[in-house]
Amino acid sequence: MTLIAVLDYGIGNLRSAQKALQHVGADARLTADPRLVREAAGVVLPGVGSFGRCMEALRDSGLDVVALEAIERGTPFFGICVGMQLLYEGSDESPGVAGLGVLDGHVRALPDGVKRPQMQWNVLDVVRPSPLLDSLPEPIWMYFVHSYAADHDGGVIATCDYGGPVVAAVQRDHVWATQFHPEKSGAAGLAVLRNFVDAAAGRAAA
């Protein structure tokens, strides 16, 4: 089975992502061990709660450095929800707190006039092809829980409509990220996770 490291920095229900990855056949391990992360074919950074609290916990655990090293090595990397937001430069939710800066742009509040958080199923508008969304039948419905989203259109592979287009998924080389929760999105979400595991396995084999 493909070894996937789920970064354990003590935030939220990280086990739900681990269990979903195991469900699609990965050897998914919740870990803070840099050695295990180096051995993994893929790395997953989940996140729930506030940007500032998650970033603080990631730095306190030392896993911010581990995550950046994995990305620099070319290891397939997947950020989920706040884990996606942490890949950007910062967030209006936590002014003055720097993100990992892997992806260009900033995280902003959802548009005025919509309920915050967006806590619902929403359909994806796929704007460019990506291995992450391969073979998913349309319409693709995913489950969202968030009040903030990325403001930059670089690398966007899918948006959703919530008071206007909202960035829902991005890809930059071997880095993927989703604002939605694939582990809470039924068969379609599991298909996304399976695609990530397959991509990680393929890159490791190569």
Side-chain angles (χ1 to χ4, degrees):
M1 292 191 294
T2 304
L3 176 59
I4 303 294
V6 181
L7 298 182
D8 182 6
Y9 60 113
I11 286 291
N13 183 16
L14 303 176
R15 289 197 180 277
S16 61
Q18 178 197 18
K19 290 177 180 177
L21 286 158
Q22 290 173 341
H23 185 78
V24 300
D27 178 13
R29 305 188 199 177
L30 195 58
T31 185
D33 182 355
R35 178 191 58 81
L36 185 62
V37 176
R38 285 193 294 270
E39 294 174 357
V43 179
V44 176
L45 175 61
V48 295
S50 75
F51 181 96
R53 183 165 172 261
C54 286
M55 199 66 235
E56 179 183 15
L58 193 66
R59 289 203 168 99
D60 286 349
S61 68
L63 289 174
D64 59 329
V65 175
V66 173
L68 290 171
E69 287 175 347
I71 292 168
E72 289 169 5
R73 281 194 305 272
T75 303
F77 194 96
F78 189 11
I80 297 173
C81 197
V82 178
M84 170 183 175
Q85 296 177 10
L86 298 180
L87 294 171
Y88 287 88
E89 296 164 11
S91 172
D92 285 353
E93 184 177 22
S94 305
V97 177
L100 294 172
V102 173
L103 300 175
D104 295 333
H106 201 81
V107 177
R108 309 285 184 191
L110 291 173
D112 292 337
V114 298
K115 184 178 179 181
R116 301 179 185 141
Q118 174 181 202
M119 188 181 298
Q120 64 175 25
W121 292 82
N122 205 336
V123 68
L124 299 187
D125 177 16
V126 178
V127 297
R128 70 182 179 97
S130 165
L132 200 65
L133 302 177
D134 273 356
S135 302
L136 271 72
E138 296 189 16
I140 304 171
W141 289 89
M142 294 292 176
Y143 189 72
F144 291 80
V145 183
H146 66 118
S147 297
Y148 294 81
D151 69 352
H152 199 273
D153 62 2
V156 174
I157 59 177
T159 62
C160 68
D161 182 11
Y162 196 68
V166 172
V167 175
V170 299
Q171 178 184 355
R172 197 206 69 181
D173 299 325
H174 59 283
V175 177
W176 291 271
T178 62
Q179 187 58 68
F180 57 83
H181 284 274
E183 77 281 9
K184 298 179 180 178
S185 296
L190 291 176
V192 166
L193 294 177
R194 188 177 296 109
N195 284 343
F196 173 73
V197 173
D198 289 347
R203 196 175 183 101

